[in-house]
Amino acid sequence: MNCIAWCLAAYAILGAFIATQFVKTKRHLFEKFNRLLDSDQKTAYQRITQMRASIFTKGILVGLLISGLVATTFYHKTQIGVGKLVCLVISVTLITCYLFYQIHPKPDYMLRYLDSREQLIAWWDIYRTFRTYNYLGIAIGILAYITIGCSMA
């Protein structure tokens, strides 16, 4: 496998997606935030979380559709190896998912329901942890690509 942009993107974005899943292991952050919410805020939080998960799922599906079309086109028009094709599919799927999620209208935000400074700080702690894990995952993905992906023949 040659060092190509598709594989670098695939490793980096996949690293970010995987790393952000580990934020869920920081249960204390979510428990603290949840303890600070009243019943109406908890209902809003569940609704917003479900809406965001739905947007993410739609993004993955759109990404798979687009990457399938791109991969089919590349496979039939060029002599692309399976490894590069896999990198292409992963990178197109995840980039599409990311862009879809960022662009998709979000009619509601949790910040609208937070009343106290303590709630805002707890929410910020969760957000900051997600962001940190995302960047860490990108860095680990890039390092994994450089050490593993580039060395594969």
Side-chain angles (χ1 to χ4, degrees), residues 46-102:
Q46 289 174 339
R47 185 180 66 252
I48 292 166
T49 301
Q50 289 171 354
M51 177 196 57
R52 298 296 176 97
S54 173
I55 295 169
F56 178 81
T57 302
K58 289 176 194 174
I60 287 288
L61 293 174
V62 170
L64 286 170
L65 176 67
I66 292 172
S67 68
L69 294 170
V70 169
T72 302
T73 302
F74 266 82
Y75 187 73
H76 290 299
K77 291 190 176 187
T78 63
Q79 295 292 346
I80 188 170
V82 174
K84 290 178 185 177
L85 193 61
V86 169
C87 288
L88 176 66
V89 167
I90 291 171
S91 60
V92 170
T93 299
L94 296 181
I95 289 169
T96 302
C97 177
Y98 175 79
L99 292 174
F100 185 91
Y101 187 85
Q102 294 301 316

Short mmCIF file of all heavy atoms in Angstrom, two decimals, residues 46-102:
data_model
loop_
_atom_site.label_atom_id
_atom_site.label_comp_id
_atom_site.label_asym_id
_atom_site.label_seq_id
_atom_site.Cartn_x
_atom_site.Cartn_y
_atom_site.Cartn_z
N GLN A 46 -32.63 13.91 26.12
CA GLN A 46 -32.88 12.63 25.44
C GLN A 46 -33.36 12.86 24.00
O GLN A 46 -32.91 12.19 23.07
CB GLN A 46 -33.91 11.79 26.21
CG GLN A 46 -33.37 11.23 27.50
CD GLN A 46 -34.44 10.52 28.31
OE1 GLN A 46 -35.63 10.75 28.14
NE2 GLN A 46 -34.00 9.65 29.22
N ARG A 47 -34.25 13.82 23.83
CA ARG A 47 -34.78 14.13 22.49
C ARG A 47 -33.66 14.63 21.57
O ARG A 47 -33.54 14.18 20.43
CB ARG A 47 -35.91 15.16 22.60
CG ARG A 47 -36.61 15.47 21.29
CD ARG A 47 -37.71 16.49 21.43
NE ARG A 47 -37.19 17.79 21.80
CZ ARG A 47 -37.31 18.37 23.00
NH1 ARG A 47 -37.97 17.77 23.96
NH2 ARG A 47 -36.79 19.55 23.25
N ILE A 48 -32.84 15.53 22.07
CA ILE A 48 -31.75 16.09 21.28
C ILE A 48 -30.72 15.02 20.95
O ILE A 48 -30.23 14.93 19.82
CB ILE A 48 -31.12 17.30 22.00
CG1 ILE A 48 -32.13 18.45 22.05
CG2 ILE A 48 -29.82 17.72 21.34
CD1 ILE A 48 -31.77 19.56 23.00
N THR A 49 -30.40 14.16 21.92
CA THR A 49 -29.45 13.07 21.70
C THR A 49 -29.95 12.11 20.63
O THR A 49 -29.19 11.71 19.74
CB THR A 49 -29.19 12.32 23.02
OG1 THR A 49 -28.69 13.23 23.99
CG2 THR A 49 -28.20 11.19 22.83
N GLN A 50 -31.23 11.77 20.68
CA GLN A 50 -31.82 10.88 19.67
C GLN A 50 -31.80 11.54 18.29
O GLN A 50 -31.53 10.88 17.29
CB GLN A 50 -33.24 10.49 20.07
CG GLN A 50 -33.27 9.54 21.24
CD GLN A 50 -34.69 9.31 21.77
OE1 GLN A 50 -35.64 9.94 21.35
NE2 GLN A 50 -34.80 8.38 22.71
N MET A 51 -32.11 12.84 18.25
CA MET A 51 -32.09 13.56 16.98
C MET A 51 -30.68 13.56 16.39
O MET A 51 -30.49 13.32 15.19
CB MET A 51 -32.58 15.00 17.16
CG MET A 51 -32.51 15.83 15.89
SD MET A 51 -32.63 17.61 16.15
CE MET A 51 -31.27 17.93 17.27
N ARG A 52 -29.68 13.81 17.22
CA ARG A 52 -28.29 13.84 16.73
C ARG A 52 -27.85 12.46 16.26
O ARG A 52 -27.14 12.34 15.25
CB ARG A 52 -27.35 14.36 17.82
CG ARG A 52 -27.62 15.78 18.28
CD ARG A 52 -27.40 16.77 17.15
NE ARG A 52 -27.75 18.11 17.51
CZ ARG A 52 -26.90 19.04 17.93
NH1 ARG A 52 -25.63 18.76 18.06
NH2 ARG A 52 -27.32 20.25 18.22
N ALA A 53 -28.25 11.41 16.96
CA ALA A 53 -27.92 10.05 16.54
C ALA A 53 -28.57 9.74 15.19
O ALA A 53 -27.95 9.09 14.33
CB ALA A 53 -28.37 9.03 17.59
N SER A 54 -29.78 10.22 14.99
CA SER A 54 -30.48 10.02 13.72
C SER A 54 -29.76 10.73 12.58
O SER A 54 -29.59 10.17 11.48
CB SER A 54 -31.92 10.52 13.83
OG SER A 54 -32.57 10.48 12.60
N ILE A 55 -29.30 11.95 12.83
CA ILE A 55 -28.55 12.70 11.82
C ILE A 55 -27.26 11.96 11.47
O ILE A 55 -26.89 11.82 10.31
CB ILE A 55 -28.27 14.14 12.29
CG1 ILE A 55 -29.57 14.92 12.44
CG2 ILE A 55 -27.30 14.85 11.34
CD1 ILE A 55 -29.41 16.26 13.16
N PHE A 56 -26.57 11.47 12.50
CA PHE A 56 -25.33 10.73 12.29
C PHE A 56 -25.58 9.48 11.44
O PHE A 56 -24.84 9.20 10.50
CB PHE A 56 -24.70 10.35 13.63
CG PHE A 56 -23.44 9.56 13.50
CD1 PHE A 56 -22.23 10.20 13.24
CD2 PHE A 56 -23.46 8.18 13.63
CE1 PHE A 56 -21.06 9.46 13.11
CE2 PHE A 56 -22.29 7.44 13.50
CZ PHE A 56 -21.09 8.08 13.24
N THR A 57 -26.63 8.74 11.77
CA THR A 57 -26.97 7.52 11.02
C THR A 57 -27.28 7.84 9.56
O THR A 57 -26.82 7.14 8.65
CB THR A 57 -28.16 6.80 11.67
OG1 THR A 57 -27.83 6.49 13.03
CG2 THR A 57 -28.52 5.52 10.94
N LYS A 58 -28.04 8.89 9.33
CA LYS A 58 -28.32 9.32 7.95
C LYS A 58 -27.03 9.67 7.23
O LYS A 58 -26.86 9.36 6.05
CB LYS A 58 -29.27 10.52 7.93
CG LYS A 58 -30.68 10.22 8.35
CD LYS A 58 -31.49 11.52 8.39
CE LYS A 58 -32.80 11.35 9.10
NZ LYS A 58 -33.50 12.64 9.27
N GLY A 59 -26.12 10.35 7.92
CA GLY A 59 -24.84 10.72 7.32
C GLY A 59 -24.02 9.51 6.92
O GLY A 59 -23.41 9.48 5.85
N ILE A 60 -24.01 8.48 7.78
CA ILE A 60 -23.29 7.24 7.45
C ILE A 60 -23.92 6.59 6.21
O ILE A 60 -23.21 6.15 5.30
CB ILE A 60 -23.30 6.26 8.64
CG1 ILE A 60 -22.36 6.73 9.74
CG2 ILE A 60 -22.94 4.84 8.20
CD1 ILE A 60 -20.89 6.60 9.44
N LEU A 61 -25.25 6.55 6.17
CA LEU A 61 -25.93 5.93 5.03
C LEU A 61 -25.66 6.69 3.73
O LEU A 61 -25.37 6.07 2.69
CB LEU A 61 -27.43 5.82 5.30
CG LEU A 61 -27.83 4.87 6.43
CD1 LEU A 61 -29.32 4.95 6.71
CD2 LEU A 61 -27.41 3.44 6.11
N VAL A 62 -25.73 8.01 3.79
CA VAL A 62 -25.41 8.82 2.60
C VAL A 62 -23.94 8.61 2.21
O VAL A 62 -23.62 8.45 1.03
CB VAL A 62 -25.72 10.31 2.85
CG1 VAL A 62 -25.17 11.18 1.73
CG2 VAL A 62 -27.22 10.53 3.02
N GLY A 63 -23.07 8.56 3.20
CA GLY A 63 -21.65 8.33 2.93
C GLY A 63 -21.39 6.98 2.29
O GLY A 63 -20.58 6.87 1.36
N LEU A 64 -22.07 5.95 2.77
CA LEU A 64 -21.92 4.62 2.16
C LEU A 64 -22.41 4.61 0.72
O LEU A 64 -21.79 4.00 -0.16
CB LEU A 64 -22.66 3.56 2.99
CG LEU A 64 -22.00 3.18 4.31
CD1 LEU A 64 -22.94 2.32 5.16
CD2 LEU A 64 -20.68 2.45 4.06
N LEU A 65 -23.52 5.29 0.48
CA LEU A 65 -24.06 5.36 -0.88
C LEU A 65 -23.07 6.06 -1.82
O LEU A 65 -22.73 5.55 -2.89
CB LEU A 65 -25.41 6.09 -0.88
CG LEU A 65 -26.04 6.31 -2.24
CD1 LEU A 65 -26.46 4.99 -2.86
CD2 LEU A 65 -27.24 7.24 -2.11
N ILE A 66 -22.59 7.23 -1.39
CA ILE A 66 -21.65 7.98 -2.23
C ILE A 66 -20.34 7.22 -2.40
O ILE A 66 -19.81 7.13 -3.52
CB ILE A 66 -21.40 9.39 -1.63
CG1 ILE A 66 -22.68 10.22 -1.75
CG2 ILE A 66 -20.23 10.08 -2.33
CD1 ILE A 66 -22.63 11.55 -1.04
N SER A 67 -19.82 6.64 -1.31
CA SER A 67 -18.55 5.91 -1.44
C SER A 67 -18.72 4.67 -2.32
O SER A 67 -17.79 4.30 -3.04
CB SER A 67 -17.99 5.53 -0.07
OG SER A 67 -18.80 4.57 0.57
N GLY A 68 -19.89 4.05 -2.27
CA GLY A 68 -20.14 2.91 -3.17
C GLY A 68 -20.11 3.33 -4.63
O GLY A 68 -19.51 2.64 -5.47
N LEU A 69 -20.72 4.48 -4.92
CA LEU A 69 -20.71 4.98 -6.30
C LEU A 69 -19.30 5.37 -6.74
O LEU A 69 -18.87 5.05 -7.85
CB LEU A 69 -21.65 6.18 -6.43
CG LEU A 69 -23.15 5.89 -6.23
CD1 LEU A 69 -23.94 7.19 -6.15
CD2 LEU A 69 -23.67 5.00 -7.34
N VAL A 70 -18.58 6.06 -5.85
CA VAL A 70 -17.20 6.47 -6.17
C VAL A 70 -16.31 5.24 -6.35
O VAL A 70 -15.53 5.16 -7.31
CB VAL A 70 -16.64 7.40 -5.07
CG1 VAL A 70 -15.15 7.63 -5.24
CG2 VAL A 70 -17.38 8.73 -5.07
N ALA A 71 -16.42 4.28 -5.45
CA ALA A 71 -15.58 3.08 -5.52
C ALA A 71 -15.86 2.29 -6.79
O ALA A 71 -14.94 1.81 -7.45
CB ALA A 71 -15.81 2.21 -4.29
N THR A 72 -17.13 2.17 -7.14
CA THR A 72 -17.50 1.45 -8.36
C THR A 72 -16.91 2.14 -9.58
O THR A 72 -16.35 1.50 -10.47
CB THR A 72 -19.04 1.36 -8.49
OG1 THR A 72 -19.55 0.69 -7.34
CG2 THR A 72 -19.45 0.60 -9.73
N THR A 73 -17.01 3.46 -9.61
CA THR A 73 -16.46 4.23 -10.72
C THR A 73 -14.95 4.05 -10.81
O THR A 73 -14.40 3.77 -11.88
CB THR A 73 -16.82 5.72 -10.58
OG1 THR A 73 -18.24 5.84 -10.52
CG2 THR A 73 -16.26 6.54 -11.72
N PHE A 74 -14.25 4.21 -9.67
CA PHE A 74 -12.80 4.06 -9.66
C PHE A 74 -12.39 2.65 -10.03
O PHE A 74 -11.42 2.45 -10.76
CB PHE A 74 -12.22 4.41 -8.28
CG PHE A 74 -11.79 5.83 -8.16
CD1 PHE A 74 -12.71 6.82 -7.89
CD2 PHE A 74 -10.46 6.17 -8.31
CE1 PHE A 74 -12.32 8.14 -7.77
CE2 PHE A 74 -10.06 7.49 -8.19
CZ PHE A 74 -10.99 8.48 -7.92
N TYR A 75 -13.08 1.68 -9.52
CA TYR A 75 -12.71 0.28 -9.75
C TYR A 75 -12.82 -0.08 -11.23
O TYR A 75 -11.97 -0.79 -11.76
CB TYR A 75 -13.59 -0.64 -8.91
CG TYR A 75 -13.15 -2.08 -8.96
CD1 TYR A 75 -12.00 -2.49 -8.28
CD2 TYR A 75 -13.87 -3.02 -9.69
CE1 TYR A 75 -11.58 -3.81 -8.33
CE2 TYR A 75 -13.45 -4.34 -9.73
CZ TYR A 75 -12.31 -4.73 -9.05
OH TYR A 75 -11.90 -6.03 -9.10
N HIS A 76 -13.86 0.42 -11.88
CA HIS A 76 -14.06 0.09 -13.29
C HIS A 76 -13.22 0.95 -14.24
O HIS A 76 -12.92 0.51 -15.34
CB HIS A 76 -15.55 0.21 -13.66
CG HIS A 76 -16.39 -0.86 -13.04
ND1 HIS A 76 -16.20 -2.19 -13.28
CD2 HIS A 76 -17.41 -0.79 -12.17
CE1 HIS A 76 -17.07 -2.90 -12.60
NE2 HIS A 76 -17.82 -2.07 -11.91
N LYS A 77 -12.83 2.15 -13.83
CA LYS A 77 -12.10 3.04 -14.73
C LYS A 77 -10.60 3.03 -14.51
O LYS A 77 -9.85 3.51 -15.36
CB LYS A 77 -12.63 4.46 -14.60
CG LYS A 77 -14.04 4.62 -15.15
CD LYS A 77 -14.44 6.07 -15.21
CE LYS A 77 -15.80 6.15 -15.86
NZ LYS A 77 -16.22 7.50 -16.13
N THR A 78 -10.13 2.54 -13.37
CA THR A 78 -8.69 2.55 -13.09
C THR A 78 -8.28 1.20 -12.52
O THR A 78 -9.10 0.40 -12.13
CB THR A 78 -8.32 3.65 -12.08
OG1 THR A 78 -8.96 3.35 -10.83
CG2 THR A 78 -8.71 5.02 -12.54
N GLN A 79 -7.00 0.99 -12.47
CA GLN A 79 -6.45 -0.21 -11.86
C GLN A 79 -6.11 0.11 -10.41
O GLN A 79 -4.98 0.36 -10.06
CB GLN A 79 -5.19 -0.67 -12.62
CG GLN A 79 -5.45 -1.11 -14.02
CD GLN A 79 -6.25 -2.42 -14.07
OE1 GLN A 79 -6.40 -3.12 -13.08
NE2 GLN A 79 -6.80 -2.72 -15.24
N ILE A 80 -7.11 0.14 -9.56
CA ILE A 80 -6.91 0.47 -8.15
C ILE A 80 -6.87 -0.81 -7.34
O ILE A 80 -7.69 -1.71 -7.55
CB ILE A 80 -7.99 1.45 -7.64
CG1 ILE A 80 -7.67 1.94 -6.23
CG2 ILE A 80 -9.37 0.82 -7.70
CD1 ILE A 80 -8.57 3.07 -5.78
N GLY A 81 -5.91 -0.92 -6.45
CA GLY A 81 -5.80 -2.09 -5.59
C GLY A 81 -6.87 -2.11 -4.52
O GLY A 81 -7.48 -1.10 -4.19
N VAL A 82 -7.09 -3.28 -3.97
CA VAL A 82 -8.13 -3.45 -2.96
C VAL A 82 -7.85 -2.59 -1.72
O VAL A 82 -8.75 -1.97 -1.17
CB VAL A 82 -8.27 -4.94 -2.56
CG1 VAL A 82 -9.23 -5.12 -1.41
CG2 VAL A 82 -8.72 -5.77 -3.75
N GLY A 83 -6.58 -2.53 -1.31
CA GLY A 83 -6.22 -1.73 -0.13
C GLY A 83 -6.57 -0.26 -0.32
O GLY A 83 -7.14 0.38 0.56
N LYS A 84 -6.23 0.26 -1.49
CA LYS A 84 -6.54 1.66 -1.79
C LYS A 84 -8.05 1.86 -1.91
O LYS A 84 -8.58 2.90 -1.50
CB LYS A 84 -5.85 2.11 -3.07
CG LYS A 84 -4.36 2.22 -2.94
CD LYS A 84 -3.72 2.62 -4.25
CE LYS A 84 -2.21 2.61 -4.14
NZ LYS A 84 -1.56 2.92 -5.41
N LEU A 85 -8.73 0.87 -2.46
CA LEU A 85 -10.18 0.95 -2.60
C LEU A 85 -10.85 1.00 -1.22
O LEU A 85 -11.78 1.78 -1.00
CB LEU A 85 -10.70 -0.23 -3.41
CG LEU A 85 -12.13 -0.16 -3.90
CD1 LEU A 85 -12.33 1.04 -4.84
CD2 LEU A 85 -12.49 -1.45 -4.63
N VAL A 86 -10.35 0.19 -0.29
CA VAL A 86 -10.89 0.19 1.07
C VAL A 86 -10.67 1.56 1.72
O VAL A 86 -11.57 2.12 2.34
CB VAL A 86 -10.27 -0.94 1.93
CG1 VAL A 86 -10.61 -0.77 3.40
CG2 VAL A 86 -10.75 -2.30 1.43
N CYS A 87 -9.46 2.10 1.56
CA CYS A 87 -9.18 3.44 2.10
C CYS A 87 -10.10 4.48 1.49
O CYS A 87 -10.60 5.37 2.19
CB CYS A 87 -7.72 3.82 1.83
SG CYS A 87 -6.52 2.92 2.84
N LEU A 88 -10.33 4.38 0.19
CA LEU A 88 -11.22 5.31 -0.50
C LEU A 88 -12.64 5.23 0.07
O LEU A 88 -13.25 6.25 0.39
CB LEU A 88 -11.23 5.03 -2.00
CG LEU A 88 -12.18 5.86 -2.85
CD1 LEU A 88 -11.75 7.33 -2.84
CD2 LEU A 88 -12.24 5.32 -4.27
N VAL A 89 -13.14 4.03 0.24
CA VAL A 89 -14.50 3.84 0.77
C VAL A 89 -14.61 4.39 2.19
O VAL A 89 -15.56 5.12 2.51
CB VAL A 89 -14.92 2.36 0.71
CG1 VAL A 89 -16.18 2.10 1.52
CG2 VAL A 89 -15.11 1.92 -0.73
N ILE A 90 -13.65 4.07 3.04
CA ILE A 90 -13.69 4.55 4.42
C ILE A 90 -13.61 6.07 4.46
O ILE A 90 -14.41 6.72 5.15
CB ILE A 90 -12.55 3.92 5.26
CG1 ILE A 90 -12.82 2.43 5.45
CG2 ILE A 90 -12.43 4.62 6.62
CD1 ILE A 90 -11.65 1.68 6.08
N SER A 91 -12.66 6.65 3.73
CA SER A 91 -12.50 8.11 3.80
C SER A 91 -13.71 8.84 3.22
O SER A 91 -14.20 9.80 3.81
CB SER A 91 -11.20 8.56 3.14
OG SER A 91 -11.16 8.19 1.79
N VAL A 92 -14.23 8.40 2.08
CA VAL A 92 -15.40 9.07 1.49
C VAL A 92 -16.62 8.91 2.40
O VAL A 92 -17.36 9.86 2.63
CB VAL A 92 -15.70 8.53 0.06
CG1 VAL A 92 -17.04 9.02 -0.44
CG2 VAL A 92 -14.59 8.95 -0.89
N THR A 93 -16.80 7.72 2.96
CA THR A 93 -17.95 7.49 3.86
C THR A 93 -17.88 8.41 5.08
O THR A 93 -18.85 9.10 5.41
CB THR A 93 -17.99 6.02 4.33
OG1 THR A 93 -18.15 5.18 3.20
CG2 THR A 93 -19.15 5.79 5.29
N LEU A 94 -16.72 8.45 5.73
CA LEU A 94 -16.62 9.23 6.97
C LEU A 94 -16.56 10.73 6.73
O LEU A 94 -17.11 11.50 7.52
CB LEU A 94 -15.41 8.74 7.78
CG LEU A 94 -15.50 7.29 8.26
CD1 LEU A 94 -14.27 6.92 9.07
CD2 LEU A 94 -16.77 7.04 9.07
N ILE A 95 -15.92 11.16 5.66
CA ILE A 95 -15.92 12.59 5.34
C ILE A 95 -17.34 13.04 5.00
O ILE A 95 -17.79 14.10 5.46
CB ILE A 95 -14.94 12.91 4.19
CG1 ILE A 95 -13.50 12.77 4.67
CG2 ILE A 95 -15.18 14.31 3.62
CD1 ILE A 95 -12.46 12.79 3.57
N THR A 96 -18.05 12.24 4.23
CA THR A 96 -19.44 12.57 3.90
C THR A 96 -20.30 12.62 5.16
O THR A 96 -21.10 13.54 5.34
CB THR A 96 -20.04 11.54 2.90
OG1 THR A 96 -19.22 11.53 1.73
CG2 THR A 96 -21.47 11.89 2.54
N CYS A 97 -20.11 11.63 6.03
CA CYS A 97 -20.87 11.61 7.29
C CYS A 97 -20.59 12.87 8.11
O CYS A 97 -21.52 13.51 8.62
CB CYS A 97 -20.51 10.36 8.09
SG CYS A 97 -21.33 10.26 9.68
N TYR A 98 -19.32 13.22 8.23
CA TYR A 98 -18.94 14.41 8.99
C TYR A 98 -19.57 15.67 8.40
O TYR A 98 -20.17 16.48 9.12
CB TYR A 98 -17.41 14.54 9.03
CG TYR A 98 -16.95 15.81 9.70
CD1 TYR A 98 -16.93 15.92 11.07
CD2 TYR A 98 -16.57 16.90 8.93
CE1 TYR A 98 -16.53 17.09 11.69
CE2 TYR A 98 -16.16 18.08 9.53
CZ TYR A 98 -16.14 18.18 10.90
OH TYR A 98 -15.75 19.34 11.50
N LEU A 99 -19.44 15.83 7.09
CA LEU A 99 -20.00 17.02 6.44
C LEU A 99 -21.53 17.03 6.54
O LEU A 99 -22.13 18.09 6.79
CB LEU A 99 -19.56 17.09 4.98
CG LEU A 99 -18.08 17.35 4.75
CD1 LEU A 99 -17.73 17.24 3.27
CD2 LEU A 99 -17.67 18.71 5.31
N PHE A 100 -22.15 15.89 6.35
CA PHE A 100 -23.60 15.78 6.46
C PHE A 100 -24.05 16.22 7.86
O PHE A 100 -24.99 17.01 8.01
CB PHE A 100 -24.05 14.34 6.19
CG PHE A 100 -25.55 14.15 6.17
CD1 PHE A 100 -26.25 14.26 4.99
CD2 PHE A 100 -26.23 13.85 7.34
CE1 PHE A 100 -27.63 14.08 4.97
CE2 PHE A 100 -27.61 13.67 7.33
CZ PHE A 100 -28.31 13.80 6.14
N TYR A 101 -23.36 15.73 8.87
CA TYR A 101 -23.71 16.07 10.26
C TYR A 101 -23.52 17.56 10.52
O TYR A 101 -24.36 18.19 11.18
CB TYR A 101 -22.86 15.25 11.23
CG TYR A 101 -23.28 15.42 12.67
CD1 TYR A 101 -24.30 14.65 13.20
CD2 TYR A 101 -22.65 16.36 13.49
CE1 TYR A 101 -24.69 14.80 14.52
CE2 TYR A 101 -23.04 16.52 14.80
CZ TYR A 101 -24.05 15.74 15.31
OH TYR A 101 -24.45 15.91 16.62
N GLN A 102 -22.44 18.14 10.02
CA GLN A 102 -22.18 19.56 10.25
C GLN A 102 -23.18 20.45 9.53
O GLN A 102 -23.59 21.48 10.06
CB GLN A 102 -20.75 19.92 9.81
CG GLN A 102 -19.67 19.26 10.63
CD GLN A 102 -19.76 19.60 12.10
OE1 GLN A 102 -19.97 20.73 12.48
NE2 GLN A 102 -19.61 18.60 12.95
#
